């Protein structure tokens, strides 16, 4: 499997970001609760696995935010990084896609 197109900004990587974001939105819209589900609080109180996965999501959002701030070059990097700490991939994926799009367009970058 050739992963070279994903190592730097590329149309393939933009399509990956778009697909992941589309799946995230579709899951959020159509993945509503089902009869008999415990709910978030009940699940977290009953399941240590669910608590660990919940903490893992927070850790990954924090790492993604840090990556965006350190490696990003556009003005959206800091606001998007802060937003991703609250809404996760709903902010992180579009910001990463924008960073790549700007690089592919040769846009002027904010170097602050």
């Amino acid at each position: 499997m050739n992963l070279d197109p994903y190592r730097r900004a590329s149309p393939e990587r933009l399509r990956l970001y778009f697909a992941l974001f589309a799946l995230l939105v579709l899951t959020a819209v159509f993945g509503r609760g089902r009869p008999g589900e415990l709910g978030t609080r009940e699940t977290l109180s009953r399941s240590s696995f669910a608590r660990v996965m919940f903490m893992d999501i927070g850790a990954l959002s924090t790492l993604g935010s840090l990556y965006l701030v350190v490696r990003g070059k556009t003005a959206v990097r800091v606001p998007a990084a802060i937003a991703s700490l609250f809404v996760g991939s709903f902010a992180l994926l579009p910001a990463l896609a924008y960073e790549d799009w700007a690089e592919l367009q040769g846009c002027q970058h904010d170097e602050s």
Side-chain angles (χ1 to χ4, degrees):
M1 175 183 245
N2 183 13
L3 297 177
D4 287 337
Y6 301 98
R7 295 187 194 281
R8 60 192 53 84
S10 67
E12 291 86 0
R13 199 158 82 174
L14 285 175
R15 281 193 291 276
L16 177 62
Y17 288 142
F18 176 76
L20 290 171
F21 188 73
L23 289 171
L24 184 68
V25 169
L26 287 172
T27 301
V29 171
F30 296 111
R32 303 282 180 194
R34 288 163 178 67
E37 280 191 1
L38 296 175
T40 304
R41 286 182 187 227
E42 178 106 16
T43 300
L44 290 174
S45 69
R46 286 187 180 193
S47 170
S48 61
F49 178 76
R51 286 190 299 277
V52 169
M53 290 296 96
F54 192 76
M55 289 186 306
D56 185 49
I57 292 166
L60 288 175
S61 290
T62 303
L63 287 173
S65 296
L66 181 61
Y67 175 85
L68 186 58
V69 168
V70 171
R71 300 290 305 257
K73 293 181 174 57
T74 69
V76 303
R77 72 185 187 276
V78 173
I82 292 168
S84 72
L85 295 174
F86 297 95
V87 295
S89 294
F90 285 101
L92 187 60
L93 288 170
L96 291 172
Y98 180 76
E99 288 283 335
D100 280 6
W101 176 82
E103 185 175 328
L104 290 172
Q105 300 301 312
C107 292
Q108 293 293 335
H109 297 300
D110 174 19
E111 297 295 334
S112 58

